[in-house]
Amino acid sequence: MSGPFDLPLPVLTDAYKLTHYSLYPEASELSAYAEFRASFNKDEDDHRIVFHGIRYIIENYVSKRWTTDDLDKLRLFASTFNVGNTPYPFPLDLFEKFIAENDGYFPVKIEALPEGSVVYPHVPVLQIVAKDEYSSLVTFLETVLTMVWYPSTVATLSRKAKTIIKKYFDETVDPENFFLLNSRLHDFGFRGCTSLEQAIIGGTSHLLNFEGTDTLAAAYYAQFHLNNGKPVATSIPATEHSVMTSYPTEYEAIAKSLEVYGSGMVSIVMDSYDYANALFNILPSLAKIKTDKGGILVIRPDSGDQVDTVMMGLDATASIFGTTTNSKGYKVVNGCSIIQGDGVSLDSLYKILTSVKKAGYSIENIAFGMGGGLIQKVNRDTMSFATKLSMIVYKDGTKK
């Protein structure tokens, strides 16, 4: 059975893994484990890590049947892969043996913590065990199994964002509106991904914590491949700069958006020309149209200082549409909110939320979008993921 890009399954590993069969000592059993060795970006206050994504790896790369065709392709490739285009060593006999005797399934046992488990650094999240003649293959699958670092890191980042937002929700939002928390961070990262697969893996990791996403591929995958067809994610109609600048005037673009989608929720980007002018001059002239439609308008700034543009949006919409004061004494803008989706990070979340609260607004007035900051600006060192050999039983029965 071929892997992705019609690759033979044996090449889904680091090259040197092919040579380790002859380097390990003879043993009746070998075990390896994997762990995260640091908190997210070495956070000294919150060490929690969300372990997620092992199912995807097992289903798509590990629980696949190797075939003699895979070996034929590997043999051809390896014949010139060593230095000087000479043959590169690999355990042909072992591969042929488990294809014949194990129906092509790789001969190791993998145990892992349940998806979504919350762990701390140095807690083993998975274990690999290989026995008898296959003991020397114990770390062959390390390469693909290590890739669990990515969905786990995104899930952890998304969860940290939720923890931050929840703190301000608890302080400024009435309990009956706490359900809004799950829509406060929206995945804007699809176009910034290096591949569709990354968008699916990273996007579904975010959906462990929030329901908001514009990464349709991840939303579909989560609903129909992971959740038995039950909805997982949501989004709302929204404009982009190309829509706004296609009209002769910004007034017409906003009016059209309200006419078509104003009875529900609609997000309108407001900085195509002049953000302040759109807020303080154009939007007031459209207030009646918006109010008559009865829906919720979401203002989206997309440039400038994040705190300044959010506060300008809140103050402008508060003056146009008015506010009500909730039971905790914070202002809620009537039928309007802001989504900040440009350059958001965990640090800027703190700054924006602190400023919104200080100005007397409830945090339910603000939502966030993260793109590259959510599913791109992470790497294996963000939480220092590693896999190492942990135990060996030698042929004479001694253990190390």
Side-chain angles (χ1 to χ4, degrees):
M1 178 178 291
S2 296
F5 305 106
D6 201 30
L7 296 171
L9 292 171
V11 304
L12 303 185
T13 191
D14 295 308
Y16 69 168
K17 297 289 188 185
L18 288 170
T19 69
H20 291 171
Y21 73 99
S22 61
L23 299 178
Y24 277 118
E26 289 191 5
S28 59
E29 182 176 334
L30 283 170
S31 297
Y33 77 103
E35 66 176 1
F36 294 95
R37 295 182 166 180
S39 58
F40 187 93
N41 279 339
K42 297 180 172 58
D43 189 328
E44 296 181 357
D45 299 317
D46 187 356
H47 294 176
R48 292 173 297 176
I49 292 166
V50 180
F51 176 64
H52 172 67
I54 192 65
R55 172 181 169 179
Y56 182 92
I57 294 170
I58 296 295
E59 288 182 349
N60 289 279
Y61 303 120
V62 175
S63 62
K64 300 292 186 181
R65 295 175 61 240
W66 289 34
T67 66
T68 55
D69 182 60
D70 285 321
L71 287 192
D72 289 341
K73 291 178 178 177
L74 173 62
R75 186 184 292 108
L76 175 63
F77 171 72
S79 65
T80 58
F81 187 63
N82 210 340
V83 62
N85 295 129
T86 57
Y88 197 83
F90 68 93
L92 176 61
D93 291 345
L94 284 178
F95 289 168
E96 288 179 332
K97 183 177 177 62
F98 80 72
I99 288 174
E101 298 180 1
N102 204 39
D103 200 25
Y105 292 104
F106 203 84
V108 298
K109 179 180 180 180
I110 299 171
E111 298 172 288
L113 295 179
E115 293 276 24
S117 294
V118 176
V119 299
Y120 291 84
H122 300 297
V123 173
V125 295
L126 64 87
Q127 176 177 263
I128 313 164
V129 178
K131 295 183 177 181
D132 302 324
E133 68 266 45
Y134 298 120
S135 293
S136 61
L137 299 180
V138 64
T139 53
F140 188 89
L141 298 177
E142 175 188 350
T143 306
V144 292
L145 292 172
T146 293
M147 292 177 182
V148 77
W149 75 261
Y150 175 68
S152 296
T153 305
V154 174
T156 300
L157 168 57
S158 177
R159 185 66 195 186
K160 290 175 80 68
K162 192 169 190 177
T163 299
I164 295 169
I165 299 170
K166 183 180 183 299
K167 174 183 180 295
Y168 288 88
F169 250 64
D170 291 341
E171 295 170 353
T172 70
V173 178
D174 284 342
E176 58 266 28
N177 288 335
F178 276 8
F179 71 94
L180 294 171
L181 176 63
N182 288 335
S183 63
R184 293 305 92 178
L185 183 63
H186 207 84
D187 173 10
F188 283 172
F190 201 166
R191 68 187 61 187
C193 290
T194 57
S195 67
L196 287 171
E197 186 177 38
Q198 185 191 36
I200 292 170
I201 297 172
T204 54
S205 302
H206 167 69
L207 292 173
L208 288 180
N209 304 297
F210 292 95
E211 64 187 29
T213 184
D214 259 30
T215 304
L216 281 178
Y220 184 94
Y221 183 86
Q223 179 171 338
F224 291 102
H225 289 263
L226 302 179
N227 206 42
N228 295 319
K230 298 176 182 178
V232 173
T234 63
S235 188
I236 63 172
T239 70
E240 62 181 1
H241 292 108
S242 294
V243 170
M244 303 303 291
T245 58
S246 67
Y247 284 84
T249 67
E250 196 167 22
Y251 175 97
E252 292 171 88
I254 298 173
K256 180 66 173 182
S257 301
L258 292 172
E259 174 191 340
V260 176
Y261 295 117
S263 59
M265 291 189 71
V266 59
S267 173
I268 301 179
V269 63
M270 288 285 187
D271 70 336
S272 297
Y273 301 101
D274 184 327
Y275 182 59
N277 182 62
L279 289 177
F280 294 106
N281 295 318
I282 300 176
L283 189 56
S285 65
L286 292 162
K288 187 177 186 308
I289 296 176
K290 186 269 171 207
T291 303
D292 289 346
K293 281 289 187 177
I296 297 175
L297 170 61
V298 181
I299 301 297
R300 180 165 72 92
D302 199 46
S303 57
D305 181 86
Q306 294 182 37
V307 173
D308 290 346
T309 55
V310 167
M311 295 313 304
M312 185 185 300
L314 285 173
D315 289 340
T317 54
S319 66
I320 298 169
F321 303 110
T323 64
T324 57
T325 302
N326 66 20
S327 66
K328 295 182 178 179
Y330 290 90
K331 294 178 288 186
V332 179
V333 180
N334 297 324
C336 197
S337 63
I338 311 294
I339 184 166
Q340 173 62 40
D342 176 50
V344 175
S345 66
L346 294 180
D347 288 338
S348 67
L349 275 178
Y350 273 119
K351 294 176 182 178
I352 295 169
L353 292 167
T354 300
S355 297
V356 171
K357 178 187 173 184
K358 185 177 181 180
Y361 289 103
S362 171
I363 301 305
E364 68 194 86
N365 292 292
I366 175 77
F368 299 90
M370 288 181 75
L374 178 64
I375 56 179
Q376 275 288 94
K377 295 181 181 179
V378 294
N379 57 58
R380 186 163 68 96
D381 291 331
T382 304
M383 300 193 301
S384 300
F385 189 84
T387 302
K388 300 297 178 184
L389 194 73
S390 57
M391 191 272 289
I392 180 170
V393 180
Y394 295 102
K395 282 291 188 180
D396 63 3
T398 59
K399 293 183 180 181
K400 179 181 179 182

